[in-house]
Amino acid sequence: MAAPTTTRKTIREKSAASLGCYITGVLTGTPTTTVARSPFIADYVADTERLQDWYFWHGTQGWRRVATYELTNYDVTLARALGTAPAGADTVAYYSLLNPDEWNDALDEALQELYYLEAITVTLVNSQNRYDLTTTNTWLLHKGQVVGVYLRDISDGVNNIKEYGAPAWRLPEEAGVVYLYLPIMPGDVTNIRAIVYARRYYGTMAADTDTTTAPLALIMAGLRHKALEKIYHLFGERAKKMFGNELGLAEKRYTEMRERHLPRIAQFTPHQVEPNLVDDEFSWTW
């Protein structure tokens, strides 16, 4: 069963809404490129000052900073004209404190801290003890991502395997390429595979329709934390008055979600060889 996916748009909207920084509704009247009549805002905004540091977002027109808000007709004036006037029944959104690009940047920052375990299968060759891991796994950027190397015996079929830690291994790096070096090789590698377990970090997302398999609760906790860090940096004391100790709570929640959702790597016991050890210091027979 494939892991569930979530779009960038959904993650951004849910996370911003959880902080009170997102509202959405339908335009009315005849919008222009600079004025968007948004009566739904009246349910959230009590005065014209409330929309300071808010941003209008339209699915095809992008975002604009809000310049003014007029209470009588609920007209929002945009600081810069849209390319095309929206339709009178278009669904739009308003973000506060951070514009949509800043929310997306915070999301990318969070994604690049989160990972899952990927198994790289290496087909062993007799009389060869060094293998390139990076060329066909471009996401493997450095040897620090590797958490364990195992040998897998598939003599009894792929559904009845035997797998155990490789007795010795090294991960030399040369010119940006990570290699697997096995100083001790089995006598016959016909049915033996080396399995390299490594942290694979989630990729960033370039469009609202892009998806990630990162658990939604985890990535939302990460985005909330990163967004609040940006807000506190940008607004200082004003942010502290608005959110109080919310940043500390968000950090605690993020830590809890990481502990709950990120793979535990304590189960892996590396048998890594230090560079000064040579092959004949090991004795092992298959």
Side-chain angles (χ1 to χ4, degrees):
M1 180 177 178
T5 61
T6 314
T7 64
R8 182 177 77 170
K9 181 174 180 287
T10 296
I11 298 168
R12 184 184 66 232
E13 290 175 348
K14 285 180 174 291
S15 300
S18 72
L19 291 173
C21 296
Y22 173 85
I23 55 178
T24 184
V26 177
L27 298 178
T28 61
T30 306
T32 69
T33 57
T34 56
V35 178
R37 182 159 294 179
S38 309
F40 60 91
I41 289 181
D43 295 332
Y44 304 91
V45 177
D47 56 67
T48 57
E49 298 299 320
R50 182 70 185 274
L51 283 187
Q52 182 181 359
D53 298 312
W54 279 72
Y55 301 89
F56 168 91
W57 180 88
H58 185 278
T60 59
Q61 297 293 317
W63 63 270
R64 296 290 188 270
R65 182 174 61 83
V66 171
T68 62
Y69 173 54
E70 187 270 311
L71 283 171
T72 303
N73 294 313
Y74 315 114
D75 285 340
V76 174
T77 302
L78 309 180
R80 183 165 61 90
L82 298 168
T84 304
D90 281 358
T91 297
V92 300
Y94 290 88
Y95 291 84
S96 69
L97 302 178
L98 300 178
N99 64 53
D101 285 347
E102 290 170 326
W103 282 101
N104 292 337
D105 289 344
L107 173 55
D108 283 343
E109 290 175 18
L111 281 168
Q112 292 175 91
E113 292 181 351
L114 305 176
Y115 61 86
Y116 55 98
L117 285 186
E118 182 91 345
I120 301 172
T121 301
V122 179
T123 301
L124 301 180
V125 178
N126 285 319
S127 302
Q128 178 182 334
N129 61 6
R130 181 170 136 127
Y131 300 87
D132 177 348
L133 298 179
T134 300
T135 300
T136 55
N137 302 281
T138 55
W139 53 268
L140 186 66
L141 304 178
H142 55 83
K143 65 182 181 182
Q145 291 174 246
V146 176
V147 299
V149 178
Y150 284 66
L151 295 178
R152 178 180 294 175
D153 186 345
I154 59 171
S155 300
D156 297 329
V158 296
N159 294 319
N160 187 26
I161 62 173
K162 303 177 183 69
E163 187 174 291
Y164 33 84
W169 48 274
R170 281 205 296 121
L171 298 166
E173 293 180 282
E174 297 177 14
V177 177
V178 180
Y179 292 90
L180 170 65
Y181 169 60
L182 298 171
I184 301 172
M185 292 282 289
D188 183 0
V189 300
T190 303
N191 292 311
I192 308 301
R193 306 289 183 267
I195 309 298
V196 179
Y197 290 97
R199 297 181 185 90
R200 181 168 183 172
Y201 291 89
Y202 290 100
T204 59
M205 293 190 281
D208 275 2
T209 54
D210 286 356
T211 61
T212 181
T213 56
L216 182 57
L218 174 61
I219 191 55
M220 281 186 59
L223 176 51
R224 281 171 55 94
H225 181 246
K226 295 297 182 183
L228 282 168
E229 283 186 331
K230 288 181 178 291
I231 291 169
Y232 275 61
H233 176 73
L234 289 171
F235 297 97
E237 288 299 319
R238 180 182 164 198
K240 291 179 182 178
K241 291 179 180 178
M242 292 178 64
F243 292 103
N245 64 345
E246 187 68 31
L247 178 58
L249 295 174
E251 184 174 7
K252 181 175 182 291
R253 172 69 172 172
Y254 186 31
T255 300
E256 292 172 349
M257 289 296 100
R258 287 175 64 91
E259 292 175 350
R260 179 179 302 178
H261 291 282
L262 292 185
R264 298 182 182 275
I265 62 174
Q267 59 183 301
F268 293 93
T269 305
H271 299 264
Q272 187 165 356
V273 185
E274 294 302 323
N276 61 332
L277 299 179
V278 295
D279 294 3
D280 58 8
E281 291 180 334
F282 298 89
S283 60
W284 177 63
T285 56
W286 187 255

PDB file of all heavy atoms in Angstrom, residues 12 53-57 63-65 95-106 230 234-235:
ATOM      1  N   ARG A  12       0.346  24.058   3.563  1.00  0.00           N
ATOM      2  CA  ARG A  12       0.484  25.488   3.861  1.00  0.00           C
ATOM      3  C   ARG A  12      -0.804  26.048   4.455  1.00  0.00           C
ATOM      4  O   ARG A  12      -0.776  26.774   5.462  1.00  0.00           O
ATOM      5  CB  ARG A  12       0.847  26.239   2.570  1.00  0.00           C
ATOM      6  CG  ARG A  12       1.101  27.733   2.786  1.00  0.00           C
ATOM      7  CD  ARG A  12       1.352  28.439   1.463  1.00  0.00           C
ATOM      8  NE  ARG A  12       0.173  28.440   0.606  1.00  0.00           N
ATOM      9  CZ  ARG A  12       0.174  28.036  -0.658  1.00  0.00           C
ATOM     10  NH1 ARG A  12       1.263  27.580  -1.225  1.00  0.00           N
ATOM     11  NH2 ARG A  12      -0.952  28.080  -1.375  1.00  0.00           N
ATOM     12  N   ASP A  53      -0.241  43.829   7.222  1.00  0.00           N
ATOM     13  CA  ASP A  53       0.617  42.653   7.047  1.00  0.00           C
ATOM     14  C   ASP A  53      -0.184  41.411   6.664  1.00  0.00           C
ATOM     15  O   ASP A  53       0.126  40.298   7.074  1.00  0.00           O
ATOM     16  CB  ASP A  53       1.442  42.373   8.315  1.00  0.00           C
ATOM     17  CG  ASP A  53       2.386  43.510   8.647  1.00  0.00           C
ATOM     18  OD1 ASP A  53       3.088  43.977   7.740  1.00  0.00           O
ATOM     19  OD2 ASP A  53       2.396  43.946   9.813  1.00  0.00           O
ATOM     20  N   TRP A  54      -1.213  41.622   5.834  1.00  0.00           N
ATOM     21  CA  TRP A  54      -1.953  40.500   5.256  1.00  0.00           C
ATOM     22  C   TRP A  54      -1.688  40.458   3.752  1.00  0.00           C
ATOM     23  O   TRP A  54      -1.310  41.466   3.140  1.00  0.00           O
ATOM     24  CB  TRP A  54      -3.462  40.633   5.517  1.00  0.00           C
ATOM     25  CG  TRP A  54      -3.860  40.170   6.883  1.00  0.00           C
ATOM     26  CD1 TRP A  54      -3.607  40.806   8.060  1.00  0.00           C
ATOM     27  CD2 TRP A  54      -4.561  38.965   7.213  1.00  0.00           C
ATOM     28  NE1 TRP A  54      -4.119  40.081   9.110  1.00  0.00           N
ATOM     29  CE2 TRP A  54      -4.712  38.942   8.617  1.00  0.00           C
ATOM     30  CE3 TRP A  54      -5.095  37.913   6.470  1.00  0.00           C
ATOM     31  CZ2 TRP A  54      -5.356  37.904   9.286  1.00  0.00           C
ATOM     32  CZ3 TRP A  54      -5.742  36.883   7.126  1.00  0.00           C
ATOM     33  CH2 TRP A  54      -5.866  36.883   8.522  1.00  0.00           C
ATOM     34  N   TYR A  55      -1.893  39.281   3.179  1.00  0.00           N
ATOM     35  CA  TYR A  55      -1.585  39.072   1.761  1.00  0.00           C
ATOM     36  C   TYR A  55      -2.745  38.343   1.083  1.00  0.00           C
ATOM     37  O   TYR A  55      -3.227  37.323   1.578  1.00  0.00           O
ATOM     38  CB  TYR A  55      -0.295  38.256   1.608  1.00  0.00           C
ATOM     39  CG  TYR A  55       0.893  38.917   2.242  1.00  0.00           C
ATOM     40  CD1 TYR A  55       1.207  38.675   3.588  1.00  0.00           C
ATOM     41  CD2 TYR A  55       1.690  39.815   1.533  1.00  0.00           C
ATOM     42  CE1 TYR A  55       2.283  39.293   4.192  1.00  0.00           C
ATOM     43  CE2 TYR A  55       2.777  40.439   2.129  1.00  0.00           C
ATOM     44  CZ  TYR A  55       3.066  40.182   3.459  1.00  0.00           C
ATOM     45  OH  TYR A  55       4.130  40.813   4.061  1.00  0.00           O
ATOM     46  N   PHE A  56      -3.165  38.902  -0.049  1.00  0.00           N
ATOM     47  CA  PHE A  56      -4.218  38.325  -0.875  1.00  0.00           C
ATOM     48  C   PHE A  56      -3.607  37.215  -1.736  1.00  0.00           C
ATOM     49  O   PHE A  56      -2.508  37.366  -2.273  1.00  0.00           O
ATOM     50  CB  PHE A  56      -4.818  39.427  -1.754  1.00  0.00           C
ATOM     51  CG  PHE A  56      -5.720  38.955  -2.852  1.00  0.00           C
ATOM     52  CD1 PHE A  56      -7.088  38.829  -2.647  1.00  0.00           C
ATOM     53  CD2 PHE A  56      -5.218  38.671  -4.126  1.00  0.00           C
ATOM     54  CE1 PHE A  56      -7.930  38.419  -3.670  1.00  0.00           C
ATOM     55  CE2 PHE A  56      -6.048  38.264  -5.153  1.00  0.00           C
ATOM     56  CZ  PHE A  56      -7.411  38.144  -4.921  1.00  0.00           C
ATOM     57  N   TRP A  57      -4.319  36.099  -1.864  1.00  0.00           N
ATOM     58  CA  TRP A  57      -3.828  34.999  -2.703  1.00  0.00           C
ATOM     59  C   TRP A  57      -4.943  34.514  -3.620  1.00  0.00           C
ATOM     60  O   TRP A  57      -6.068  34.281  -3.187  1.00  0.00           O
ATOM     61  CB  TRP A  57      -3.338  33.844  -1.826  1.00  0.00           C
ATOM     62  CG  TRP A  57      -2.821  32.667  -2.608  1.00  0.00           C
ATOM     63  CD1 TRP A  57      -1.540  32.475  -3.056  1.00  0.00           C
ATOM     64  CD2 TRP A  57      -3.565  31.529  -3.051  1.00  0.00           C
ATOM     65  NE1 TRP A  57      -1.449  31.284  -3.752  1.00  0.00           N
ATOM     66  CE2 TRP A  57      -2.680  30.677  -3.757  1.00  0.00           C
ATOM     67  CE3 TRP A  57      -4.907  31.143  -2.903  1.00  0.00           C
ATOM     68  CZ2 TRP A  57      -3.082  29.480  -4.311  1.00  0.00           C
ATOM     69  CZ3 TRP A  57      -5.305  29.935  -3.472  1.00  0.00           C
ATOM     70  CH2 TRP A  57      -4.392  29.123  -4.165  1.00  0.00           C
ATOM     71  N   TRP A  63      -0.037  36.103  -5.428  1.00  0.00           N
ATOM     72  CA  TRP A  63      -0.363  36.864  -4.225  1.00  0.00           C
ATOM     73  C   TRP A  63       0.044  38.329  -4.372  1.00  0.00           C
ATOM     74  O   TRP A  63       0.925  38.673  -5.166  1.00  0.00           O
ATOM     75  CB  TRP A  63       0.303  36.250  -2.989  1.00  0.00           C
ATOM     76  CG  TRP A  63       1.821  36.243  -3.008  1.00  0.00           C
ATOM     77  CD1 TRP A  63       2.633  35.263  -3.489  1.00  0.00           C
ATOM     78  CD2 TRP A  63       2.676  37.287  -2.525  1.00  0.00           C
ATOM     79  NE1 TRP A  63       3.945  35.611  -3.350  1.00  0.00           N
ATOM     80  CE2 TRP A  63       4.011  36.843  -2.749  1.00  0.00           C
ATOM     81  CE3 TRP A  63       2.470  38.521  -1.937  1.00  0.00           C
ATOM     82  CZ2 TRP A  63       5.117  37.626  -2.405  1.00  0.00           C
ATOM     83  CZ3 TRP A  63       3.576  39.303  -1.588  1.00  0.00           C
ATOM     84  CH2 TRP A  63       4.875  38.845  -1.814  1.00  0.00           C
ATOM     85  N   ARG A  64      -0.641  39.160  -3.590  1.00  0.00           N
ATOM     86  CA  ARG A  64      -0.330  40.596  -3.517  1.00  0.00           C
ATOM     87  C   ARG A  64      -0.494  41.053  -2.068  1.00  0.00           C
ATOM     88  O   ARG A  64      -1.348  40.537  -1.337  1.00  0.00           O
ATOM     89  CB  ARG A  64      -1.271  41.429  -4.406  1.00  0.00           C
ATOM     90  CG  ARG A  64      -1.165  41.155  -5.891  1.00  0.00           C
ATOM     91  CD  ARG A  64       0.149  41.648  -6.469  1.00  0.00           C
ATOM     92  NE  ARG A  64       0.163  41.555  -7.927  1.00  0.00           N
ATOM     93  CZ  ARG A  64       0.580  40.484  -8.607  1.00  0.00           C
ATOM     94  NH1 ARG A  64       0.983  39.406  -7.937  1.00  0.00           N
ATOM     95  NH2 ARG A  64       0.578  40.490  -9.930  1.00  0.00           N
ATOM     96  N   ARG A  65       0.277  42.024  -1.680  1.00  0.00           N
ATOM     97  CA  ARG A  65       0.123  42.596  -0.339  1.00  0.00           C
ATOM     98  C   ARG A  65      -1.150  43.425  -0.288  1.00  0.00           C
ATOM     99  O   ARG A  65      -1.502  44.122  -1.238  1.00  0.00           O
ATOM    100  CB  ARG A  65       1.332  43.467   0.012  1.00  0.00           C
ATOM    101  CG  ARG A  65       1.295  44.081   1.402  1.00  0.00           C
ATOM    102  CD  ARG A  65       2.594  44.811   1.713  1.00  0.00           C
ATOM    103  NE  ARG A  65       2.822  45.899   0.772  1.00  0.00           N
ATOM    104  CZ  ARG A  65       2.285  47.114   0.888  1.00  0.00           C
ATOM    105  NH1 ARG A  65       1.448  47.377   1.892  1.00  0.00           N
ATOM    106  NH2 ARG A  65       2.574  48.051   0.008  1.00  0.00           N
ATOM    107  N   TYR A  95      -3.480  35.493   3.706  1.00  0.00           N
ATOM    108  CA  TYR A  95      -2.474  35.041   4.669  1.00  0.00           C
ATOM    109  C   TYR A  95      -1.986  36.242   5.462  1.00  0.00           C
ATOM    110  O   TYR A  95      -1.877  37.348   4.923  1.00  0.00           O
ATOM    111  CB  TYR A  95      -1.277  34.412   3.951  1.00  0.00           C
ATOM    112  CG  TYR A  95      -1.562  33.100   3.277  1.00  0.00           C
ATOM    113  CD1 TYR A  95      -2.107  33.054   1.994  1.00  0.00           C
ATOM    114  CD2 TYR A  95      -1.276  31.893   3.904  1.00  0.00           C
ATOM    115  CE1 TYR A  95      -2.361  31.846   1.368  1.00  0.00           C
ATOM    116  CE2 TYR A  95      -1.523  30.676   3.280  1.00  0.00           C
ATOM    117  CZ  TYR A  95      -2.066  30.661   2.019  1.00  0.00           C
ATOM    118  OH  TYR A  95      -2.324  29.461   1.406  1.00  0.00           O
ATOM    119  N   SER A  96      -1.664  36.017   6.727  1.00  0.00           N
ATOM    120  CA  SER A  96      -1.150  37.125   7.532  1.00  0.00           C
ATOM    121  C   SER A  96       0.290  36.870   7.950  1.00  0.00           C
ATOM    122  O   SER A  96       0.730  35.718   8.076  1.00  0.00           O
ATOM    123  CB  SER A  96      -2.014  37.354   8.776  1.00  0.00           C
ATOM    124  OG  SER A  96      -1.880  36.293   9.692  1.00  0.00           O
ATOM    125  N   LEU A  97       1.005  37.972   8.160  1.00  0.00           N
ATOM    126  CA  LEU A  97       2.376  38.028   8.685  1.00  0.00           C
ATOM    127  C   LEU A  97       3.427  37.494   7.720  1.00  0.00           C
ATOM    128  O   LEU A  97       4.462  38.123   7.504  1.00  0.00           O
ATOM    129  CB  LEU A  97       2.474  37.300  10.026  1.00  0.00           C
ATOM    130  CG  LEU A  97       1.543  37.844  11.125  1.00  0.00           C
ATOM    131  CD1 LEU A  97       1.686  37.018  12.400  1.00  0.00           C
ATOM    132  CD2 LEU A  97       1.830  39.311  11.388  1.00  0.00           C
ATOM    133  N   LEU A  98       3.198  36.359   7.136  1.00  0.00           N
ATOM    134  CA  LEU A  98       4.089  35.839   6.100  1.00  0.00           C
ATOM    135  C   LEU A  98       3.322  35.725   4.789  1.00  0.00           C
ATOM    136  O   LEU A  98       2.160  35.314   4.781  1.00  0.00           O
ATOM    137  CB  LEU A  98       4.626  34.454   6.479  1.00  0.00           C
ATOM    138  CG  LEU A  98       5.448  34.331   7.768  1.00  0.00           C
ATOM    139  CD1 LEU A  98       5.844  32.874   7.996  1.00  0.00           C
ATOM    140  CD2 LEU A  98       6.674  35.231   7.746  1.00  0.00           C
ATOM    141  N   ASN A  99       3.971  36.109   3.687  1.00  0.00           N
ATOM    142  CA  ASN A  99       3.310  35.926   2.403  1.00  0.00           C
ATOM    143  C   ASN A  99       3.420  34.465   1.971  1.00  0.00           C
ATOM    144  O   ASN A  99       4.199  33.689   2.556  1.00  0.00           O
ATOM    145  CB  ASN A  99       3.898  36.888   1.351  1.00  0.00           C
ATOM    146  CG  ASN A  99       5.367  36.616   1.063  1.00  0.00           C
ATOM    147  OD1 ASN A  99       5.758  35.492   0.739  1.00  0.00           O
ATOM    148  ND2 ASN A  99       6.198  37.655   1.166  1.00  0.00           N
ATOM    149  N   PRO A 100       2.655  34.041   0.975  1.00  0.00           N
ATOM    150  CA  PRO A 100       2.684  32.626   0.578  1.00  0.00           C
ATOM    151  C   PRO A 100       4.074  32.101   0.230  1.00  0.00           C
ATOM    152  O   PRO A 100       4.386  30.946   0.528  1.00  0.00           O
ATOM    153  CB  PRO A 100       1.747  32.594  -0.634  1.00  0.00           C
ATOM    154  CG  PRO A 100       0.749  33.676  -0.346  1.00  0.00           C
ATOM    155  CD  PRO A 100       1.561  34.781   0.279  1.00  0.00           C
ATOM    156  N   ASP A 101       4.917  32.921  -0.379  1.00  0.00           N
ATOM    157  CA  ASP A 101       6.275  32.465  -0.692  1.00  0.00           C
ATOM    158  C   ASP A 101       7.062  32.191   0.583  1.00  0.00           C
ATOM    159  O   ASP A 101       7.856  31.231   0.648  1.00  0.00           O
ATOM    160  CB  ASP A 101       7.008  33.504  -1.542  1.00  0.00           C
ATOM    161  CG  ASP A 101       6.530  33.527  -2.985  1.00  0.00           C
ATOM    162  OD1 ASP A 101       5.812  32.583  -3.390  1.00  0.00           O
ATOM    163  OD2 ASP A 101       6.856  34.483  -3.707  1.00  0.00           O
ATOM    164  N   GLU A 102       6.878  33.027   1.595  1.00  0.00           N
ATOM    165  CA  GLU A 102       7.579  32.808   2.861  1.00  0.00           C
ATOM    166  C   GLU A 102       7.060  31.557   3.574  1.00  0.00           C
ATOM    167  O   GLU A 102       7.838  30.829   4.200  1.00  0.00           O
ATOM    168  CB  GLU A 102       7.432  34.046   3.747  1.00  0.00           C
ATOM    169  CG  GLU A 102       8.222  35.237   3.221  1.00  0.00           C
ATOM    170  CD  GLU A 102       7.891  36.536   3.939  1.00  0.00           C
ATOM    171  OE1 GLU A 102       6.715  36.732   4.346  1.00  0.00           O
ATOM    172  OE2 GLU A 102       8.803  37.376   4.082  1.00  0.00           O
ATOM    173  N   TRP A 103       5.764  31.306   3.477  1.00  0.00           N
ATOM    174  CA  TRP A 103       5.224  30.048   4.011  1.00  0.00           C
ATOM    175  C   TRP A 103       5.824  28.853   3.270  1.00  0.00           C
ATOM    176  O   TRP A 103       6.201  27.849   3.888  1.00  0.00           O
ATOM    177  CB  TRP A 103       3.700  30.031   3.882  1.00  0.00           C
ATOM    178  CG  TRP A 103       2.989  30.835   4.928  1.00  0.00           C
ATOM    179  CD1 TRP A 103       2.459  32.087   4.782  1.00  0.00           C
ATOM    180  CD2 TRP A 103       2.726  30.455   6.279  1.00  0.00           C
ATOM    181  NE1 TRP A 103       1.896  32.510   5.950  1.00  0.00           N
ATOM    182  CE2 TRP A 103       2.044  31.532   6.895  1.00  0.00           C
ATOM    183  CE3 TRP A 103       3.011  29.320   7.027  1.00  0.00           C
ATOM    184  CZ2 TRP A 103       1.629  31.493   8.215  1.00  0.00           C
ATOM    185  CZ3 TRP A 103       2.601  29.278   8.356  1.00  0.00           C
ATOM    186  CH2 TRP A 103       1.922  30.346   8.942  1.00  0.00           C
ATOM    187  N   ASN A 104       5.961  28.971   1.941  1.00  0.00           N
ATOM    188  CA  ASN A 104       6.549  27.880   1.159  1.00  0.00           C
ATOM    189  C   ASN A 104       8.015  27.668   1.529  1.00  0.00           C
ATOM    190  O   ASN A 104       8.486  26.525   1.612  1.00  0.00           O
ATOM    191  CB  ASN A 104       6.424  28.174  -0.335  1.00  0.00           C
ATOM    192  CG  ASN A 104       4.992  28.149  -0.828  1.00  0.00           C
ATOM    193  OD1 ASN A 104       4.122  27.525  -0.212  1.00  0.00           O
ATOM    194  ND2 ASN A 104       4.729  28.831  -1.924  1.00  0.00           N
ATOM    195  N   ASP A 105       8.749  28.758   1.741  1.00  0.00           N
ATOM    196  CA  ASP A 105      10.155  28.638   2.128  1.00  0.00           C
ATOM    197  C   ASP A 105      10.275  27.932   3.483  1.00  0.00           C
ATOM    198  O   ASP A 105      11.163  27.085   3.679  1.00  0.00           O
ATOM    199  CB  ASP A 105      10.807  30.023   2.212  1.00  0.00           C
ATOM    200  CG  ASP A 105      11.008  30.660   0.851  1.00  0.00           C
ATOM    201  OD1 ASP A 105      10.942  29.934  -0.160  1.00  0.00           O
ATOM    202  OD2 ASP A 105      11.222  31.891   0.798  1.00  0.00           O
ATOM    203  N   ALA A 106       9.402  28.288   4.416  1.00  0.00           N
ATOM    204  CA  ALA A 106       9.422  27.647   5.733  1.00  0.00           C
ATOM    205  C   ALA A 106       9.114  26.155   5.605  1.00  0.00           C
ATOM    206  O   ALA A 106       9.714  25.322   6.300  1.00  0.00           O
ATOM    207  CB  ALA A 106       8.412  28.324   6.662  1.00  0.00           C
ATOM    208  N   LYS A 230      10.303  32.521  11.747  1.00  0.00           N
ATOM    209  CA  LYS A 230      10.365  33.638  10.801  1.00  0.00           C
ATOM    210  C   LYS A 230       9.563  34.836  11.312  1.00  0.00           C
ATOM    211  O   LYS A 230      10.007  35.985  11.220  1.00  0.00           O
ATOM    212  CB  LYS A 230       9.832  33.205   9.431  1.00  0.00           C
ATOM    213  CG  LYS A 230      10.750  32.265   8.658  1.00  0.00           C
ATOM    214  CD  LYS A 230      10.149  31.923   7.304  1.00  0.00           C
ATOM    215  CE  LYS A 230      11.071  31.017   6.506  1.00  0.00           C
ATOM    216  NZ  LYS A 230      12.300  31.708   6.075  1.00  0.00           N
ATOM    217  N   LEU A 234      10.951  38.536  12.147  1.00  0.00           N
ATOM    218  CA  LEU A 234      10.495  39.708  11.404  1.00  0.00           C
ATOM    219  C   LEU A 234       9.822  40.750  12.287  1.00  0.00           C
ATOM    220  O   LEU A 234       9.983  41.962  12.082  1.00  0.00           O
ATOM    221  CB  LEU A 234       9.527  39.278  10.300  1.00  0.00           C
ATOM    222  CG  LEU A 234      10.124  38.518   9.111  1.00  0.00           C
ATOM    223  CD1 LEU A 234       9.010  37.968   8.226  1.00  0.00           C
ATOM    224  CD2 LEU A 234      11.036  39.433   8.303  1.00  0.00           C
ATOM    225  N   PHE A 235       9.061  40.298  13.284  1.00  0.00           N
ATOM    226  CA  PHE A 235       8.197  41.218  14.019  1.00  0.00           C
ATOM    227  C   PHE A 235       8.593  41.420  15.483  1.00  0.00           C
ATOM    228  O   PHE A 235       8.013  42.267  16.158  1.00  0.00           O
ATOM    229  CB  PHE A 235       6.743  40.745  13.932  1.00  0.00           C
ATOM    230  CG  PHE A 235       6.201  40.747  12.534  1.00  0.00           C
ATOM    231  CD1 PHE A 235       6.175  39.589  11.772  1.00  0.00           C
ATOM    232  CD2 PHE A 235       5.728  41.920  11.956  1.00  0.00           C
ATOM    233  CE1 PHE A 235       5.684  39.583  10.477  1.00  0.00           C
ATOM    234  CE2 PHE A 235       5.234  41.929  10.657  1.00  0.00           C
ATOM    235  CZ  PHE A 235       5.218  40.761   9.916  1.00  0.00           C
TER     236      PHE A 235
END
